Amino acid sequence: MEFPVVRPRRLRASEAMRRLVRETDLLPRDFVYPLFVTNGVNIKNPIVSMPDIYQMSTDNILKEGEECLKLGIPAVILFGIPAYKDEKGSSGYDPEEAVQKAVAALKKEYPELIVITDVCLCEYTSHGHCGLVADGEVQNDPTLGLLAKAALSHARAGADIVAPSDMMDGRVRAIRSTLDEHGFSHLPVLSYAAKYASAFYGPFREAAGSAPQFGDRRSYQMDPGNVREALKEIEQDLAEGADMVMVKPALAYLDVIRTVKESTNVPVAAYNVSGEYAMVKAAAQKGWVDERKIALEMLTGIKRAGADFILSYFAKQAVKWLKEGNI
Ligand code: PBG
């Protein structure tokens, strides 16, 4: 059957008709909202390359948690801006540090909010790498115990999910076994399994103060040309005990999201990262694009590619926009 019998435009004639046949709809529960946590009180520092996103102390983080719940956003993910940094990333597993305190405060105030913590060393090390450094190289095996310690400190503070983003080999196993040994066998691990060495993380490194002081992350994060390798990473992480996997970044890796979705049976998260956010914000500030339409279209694309949930700096705004109607 073909034209003139077949006329796809019949089903596009009105918003009601389009709505009836729409295959992918964004919902508030699709989102996780990232938050940058500092020590101190009453702090709300703007991040220049990420308009509307701030480094915040726990008092302000609590307001964000409340707003997310009101909007129907089920979860937040916390990144720490610690008071001190050293070679071993000690502030990453210090129970008195910003993330640990914010987790406890959020869970006390809003038990129904899911609090995810990013487990990595780069925000906490003086050299800005995601693992221990010796002889100018990032050391894999000696890093694992420190990551496990960080995850355990988050668990003790009350985190609902821990999310390792360091890309060391074997870290899921190290974290899983440490959690299990200490009575946290119920705590899920969301692995940043397919995390690429990406220039799209630039603004985040300003936000978290985590830019590497020498070299880059290409010896541990994935090469952008690879997709079969993503499946290998995911298979490994699932074998080590990951409950959910993430693809990161999202927009330049939609094919990876789709491929991972089709080859696994666990929830797949996608991270709509800082550079993806900053580009839209910058173009919108210049009046070159319609921010609302562009952002919702991108997020719809990420979901259509197969993401079960999306970590996005647009999360709150997207839910507010959706309440006003669809794109
Ligand atoms: C920590 C981490 C990074 C991001 C999330 N966790 C930065 C990096 O790997 O350099 C990036 C998130 C974003 O760009 O929004 N390793």
Side-chain angles (χ1 to χ4, degrees):
M1 215 76 90
E2 55 192 49
F3 177 81
V5 177
V6 175
R7 289 179 182 272
R9 289 185 58 192
R10 289 184 195 118
L11 300 185
R12 296 178 200 143
S14 66
E15 177 52 18
M17 190 68 86
R18 290 189 292 271
R19 199 162 153 249
L20 179 72
V21 299
R22 184 166 295 134
E23 298 171 40
T24 309
D25 250 337
L26 290 168
L27 302 169
R29 73 164 179 93
D30 294 329
F31 295 106
V32 175
Y33 189 55
L35 293 168
F36 297 99
V37 193
T38 67
N39 294 289
V41 281
N42 202 19
I43 291 169
K44 193 168 176 179
N45 299 329
I47 298 155
V48 177
S49 55
M50 300 177 72
D52 304 330
I53 303 293
Y54 303 86
Q55 300 174 335
M56 281 179 277
S57 48
T58 294
D59 47 333
N60 285 319
I61 293 286
L62 285 173
K63 293 180 197 157
E64 297 290 322
E66 183 183 12
E67 194 184 354
C68 285
L69 278 181
K70 281 198 178 135
L71 288 168
I73 296 170
V76 295
I77 180 162
L78 304 187
F79 298 93
I81 293 129
Y84 63 99
K85 300 192 187 213
D86 61 22
E87 300 256 297
K88 295 188 300 182
S90 309
S91 49
Y93 35 92
D94 179 340
E96 299 303 315
E97 263 296 340
V99 163
Q100 287 80 354
K101 291 212 156 148
V103 171
L106 278 168
K107 290 308 297 181
K108 179 159 178 264
E109 210 65 41
Y110 307 110
E112 66 281 32
L113 181 71
I114 294 183
V115 179
I116 309 172
T117 54
D118 183 86
V119 176
C120 196
L121 294 192
C122 63
E123 296 131 70
Y124 308 99
T125 47
S126 43
H127 45 71
H129 276 290
C130 304
L132 286 174
V133 171
D135 304 323
E137 299 283 342
V138 175
Q139 306 292 311
N140 195 88
D141 299 11
T143 301
L144 301 178
L146 301 183
L147 293 166
K149 262 170 102 164
L152 181 60
S153 79
H154 298 169
R156 286 185 168 142
D160 295 296
I161 299 173
V162 292
S165 69
D166 52 284
M167 290 299 277
M168 296 301 118
D169 296 330
R171 89 282 199 174
V172 173
R173 180 188 302 271
I175 290 170
R176 182 75 272 157
S177 60
T178 297
L179 291 176
D180 292 355
E181 276 161 29
H182 291 86
F184 292 99
S185 58
H186 55 282
L187 200 80
V189 174
L190 163 60
S191 168
Y192 286 68
K195 176 171 175 179
Y196 288 85
S198 172
F200 283 99
Y201 309 148
F204 173 96
R205 292 177 188 168
E206 182 204 328
S210 65
Q213 299 302 302
F214 68 90
D216 55 42
R217 304 211 200 288
R218 286 182 294 176
S219 78
Y220 43 104
Q221 298 180 348
M222 284 177 52
D223 190 280
N226 296 355
V227 63
R228 285 184 301 140
E229 190 190 3
L231 297 181
K232 179 178 165 186
E233 281 283 359
I234 279 159
E235 197 182 316
Q236 285 294 315
D237 285 3
L238 292 176
E240 290 177 26
D243 301 278
M244 300 181 272
V245 293
M246 195 192 303
V247 175
K248 175 183 172 197
L251 290 176
Y253 300 87
L254 294 174
D255 60 318
V256 181
I257 298 173
R258 164 59 49 199
T259 306
V260 167
K261 183 59 176 275
E262 282 171 357
S263 58
T264 55
N265 53 13
V266 297
V268 177
Y271 202 139
N272 175 218
V273 300
S274 57
E276 299 169 356
Y277 177 81
M279 290 196 306
V280 175
K281 285 284 183 187
Q285 278 180 359
K286 282 191 172 278
W288 291 351
V289 297
D290 179 327
E291 181 184 351
R292 173 178 177 277
K293 288 188 173 167
I294 288 260
L296 292 178
E297 189 175 333
M298 283 177 168
L299 293 165
T300 302
I302 296 168
K303 184 169 180 186
R304 195 189 60 240
D308 292 294
F309 57 94
I310 306 170
L311 293 80
S312 178
Y313 304 98
F314 281 118
K316 286 195 311 180
Q317 188 61 65
V319 172
K320 290 178 198 164
W321 281 328
L322 290 167
K323 288 191 199 303
E324 293 163 15
N326 206 283
I327 35 174

